[in-house]
Amino acid sequence: MMSQMPQLSACPSCEEPLESGDRFCGACGYDLSAVPAPPDDHPTLTMNGAVPPAPEEAADVDWPVVPQPENSETPPAVLLPTDLPGTDSGGTPLPSNAPLPPAGSPVAAATGVRFDRPPEPDEYPLQAPDPRVAAEPPTGGEGVKVCVACRSGRVDPDGYCENCGHAQPRERDHMEQELGPLAAVSDRGLRHHRNEDAFAVGQCVLPDGAPALVAVVCDGVSSATRPDAASLAASQKAGESLLAALPQGTHPQAAMHEAIIAASHAVNSLAEEPATAREHAPHQNAPACTLVGSVVTPTLLVVGWVGDSRAYWIPVDRSSPPARLTEDDSWAAQMVAAGLMSEAEAYADERAHAITGWLGADAYELEPHTASFKPDRPGVVVVCTDGLWNYAESAEEMAEIVPVDAAVRPLHSAQVLVGHALDGGGHDNVTVAVVPFPAPPQGAVSG
């Protein structure tokens, strides 16, 4: 017996308004009769409000204050790899193992937290095929686009297959970019209906002629309005800011701080759109995203972040220890730092991915984190969203999946890392940039 047609007000694929009785979306061709059950995964969401308090009576956690640098003429101190994890924007060491508070001491829940728990279907049938599956490209003639679903039909100017009617994938479903010695890859994953991650990579020359490599990765907050627009605006603005400031002699750590501020303004401006732009989702939060970035020179490694996207240090010599260079702005990290839970317990909790810091007009307070390092050996910096590190959380786990030749084959390595996340289930969008240290001279090309 035919099942009853689900009543939807908007297309679950492109959010186009629907009329009663529609069987297919008129904008993207989505089959409205196929409404899969929600999956088990929990991507990043937003909800303003307090986190449920810990079992014990809570009080405020004493988070370090990260003031803006006074000027760019006095560079912050840098540390050797043996002193990892480095210094934050205020010059305070970033602890690798936070001390436990005395027994019975209270800790507080965050005042502003975003939960990312939107119901997502198990899969979206009218999207791009699994990028891991190799297929011989069909022959459709010069200049003719062939359907990614049936592999035989021609694609009309409106983006639909003339044979099977399949709507073709969007450009951001899978993106790759290799720029000299660094590269980045972003993929929609296997569960999301769109890619809400974005990245920016670039290279420039410092005033002394030394090269500098820049990578920025952003993860849109799924419960917010237009998270894909937020991540794109933030990554582009942060990248542009870094590539403009570094050649002028701004210290990389100060440049990173300024880039995060600029990215925040870019995301905030998205909330100033006309009311008609949000008429179909009037109760959603303002556009929001997380950000993590890295600047690499021949002698210095700088990272900056807001949210729970991460940067990892992976030495070329795998006998040397890897390290995580960032600390999450998240409920789980807060519980671990407060000594209420072990890291394993915290990240197993359903509230683990509630973020306590983000870029967006409704953020309670913007606190950009930056840290600088001076490694004494070559390696690579892996800059990624939680779509990857959910499948390789510790520095040791990340080092195991990073190819040994990552420093000379960054694009291949980024593809391998994205493939690892897809093989693990691809529950979230996944984005990763691979940046070699030290930055090679301008003109060097990956092998």
Side-chain angles (χ1 to χ4, degrees):
M1 181 174 63
M2 183 176 296
S3 61
Q4 184 177 359
M5 187 71 177
Q7 297 300 313
L8 302 174
S9 60
C11 173
S13 176
C14 67
E15 300 182 358
E16 178 73 12
L18 302 173
E19 295 182 2
S20 177
D22 283 349
R23 298 184 60 84
F24 295 91
C25 176
C28 70
Y30 188 90
D31 184 356
L32 300 174
S33 66
V35 183
D40 295 330
D41 62 298
H42 301 288
T44 306
L45 230 213
T46 98
M47 182 180 75
N48 289 334
V51 177
E56 299 181 9
E57 187 179 2
D60 287 340
V61 176
D62 186 17
W63 294 102
V65 178
V66 185
Q68 295 189 20
E70 295 180 1
N71 54 59
S72 60
E73 298 178 358
T74 306
V78 296
L79 305 177
L80 294 174
T82 53
D83 300 317
L84 289 176
T87 59
D88 66 15
S89 302
T92 304
L94 296 174
S96 56
N97 293 299
L100 298 180
S105 62
V107 241
T111 54
V113 180
R114 288 179 178 269
F115 289 95
D116 200 351
R117 300 288 187 274
E120 288 284 345
D122 287 333
E123 61 182 50
Y124 284 81
L126 297 182
Q127 294 297 334
D130 187 339
R132 297 167 296 168
V133 178
E136 290 295 327
T139 55
E142 184 176 356
V144 176
K145 295 181 62 177
V146 180
C147 177
V148 300
C150 68
R151 303 286 181 177
S152 60
R154 294 164 54 97
V155 177
D156 65 24
D158 293 329
Y160 293 87
C161 175
E162 296 176 349
N163 177 48
C164 68
H166 187 103
Q168 300 305 292
R170 289 161 289 203
E171 180 182 1
R172 286 180 64 177
D173 279 359
H174 186 84
M175 301 178 291
E176 298 185 358
Q177 184 177 2
E178 184 173 34
L179 187 63
L182 75 164
V185 175
S186 181
D187 192 87
R188 177 177 58 87
L190 305 179
R191 299 292 185 91
H192 276 261
H193 72 284
R194 64 181 173 187
N195 189 358
E196 296 169 358
D197 287 358
F199 67 80
V201 293
Q203 55 183 339
C204 61
V205 179
L206 302 178
D208 62 359
L213 306 178
V214 170
V216 178
V217 166
C218 295
D219 183 357
V221 180
S222 297
S223 65
T225 306
R226 299 167 59 202
D228 52 335
S231 63
L232 183 63
S235 59
Q236 289 183 340
K237 191 62 178 182
E240 292 171 359
S241 177
L242 287 166
L243 294 175
L246 293 170
Q248 296 177 359
T250 305
H251 187 275
Q253 189 167 355
M256 179 63 73
H257 186 99
E258 295 168 3
I260 296 175
I261 298 296
S264 175
H265 292 327
V267 178
N268 290 352
S269 67
L270 296 177
E272 300 172 0
E273 60 193 1
T276 54
R278 296 180 61 187
E279 62 182 355
H280 300 303
H283 304 299
Q284 285 190 299
N285 297 321
C289 67
T290 68
L291 180 149
V292 61
S294 177
V295 174
V296 170
T297 74
T299 59
L300 192 65
L301 161 59
V302 169
V303 294
W305 72 98
V306 173
D308 63 352
S309 293
R310 294 180 176 180
Y312 292 83
W313 162 255
I314 312 296
V316 170
D317 178 7
R318 297 305 170 85
S319 64
S320 301
R324 198 175 97 196
L325 305 179
T326 58
E327 291 291 336
D328 298 345
D329 290 321
S330 71
W331 181 91
Q334 191 176 35
M335 293 300 102
V336 174
L340 289 180
M341 292 182 175
S342 68
E343 189 166 5
E345 292 171 336
Y347 282 100
D349 192 284
E350 64 179 7
R351 297 164 290 183
H353 287 271
I355 56 175
T356 57
W358 62 88
L359 302 182
D362 58 356
Y364 283 84
E365 183 177 359
L366 176 63
E367 291 189 4
H369 311 293
T370 61
S372 58
F373 309 93
K374 197 170 186 180
D376 61 356
R377 64 200 66 199
V380 295
V381 185
V382 176
V383 185
C384 64
T385 61
D386 60 351
L388 172 61
W389 66 253
N390 276 332
Y391 301 99
E393 188 170 328
S394 70
E396 291 73 22
E397 291 172 325
M398 186 65 71
E400 289 179 1
I401 65 172
V402 173
V404 294
D405 59 354
V408 294
R409 299 182 68 194
L411 179 57
H412 169 261
S413 299
Q415 292 168 336
V416 167
L417 294 175
V418 169
H420 176 80
L422 297 177
D423 288 338
H427 289 176
D428 201 355
N429 307 144
V430 53
T431 302
V432 57
V434 176
V435 188
F437 177 90
Q442 287 287 319
V445 181
S446 59

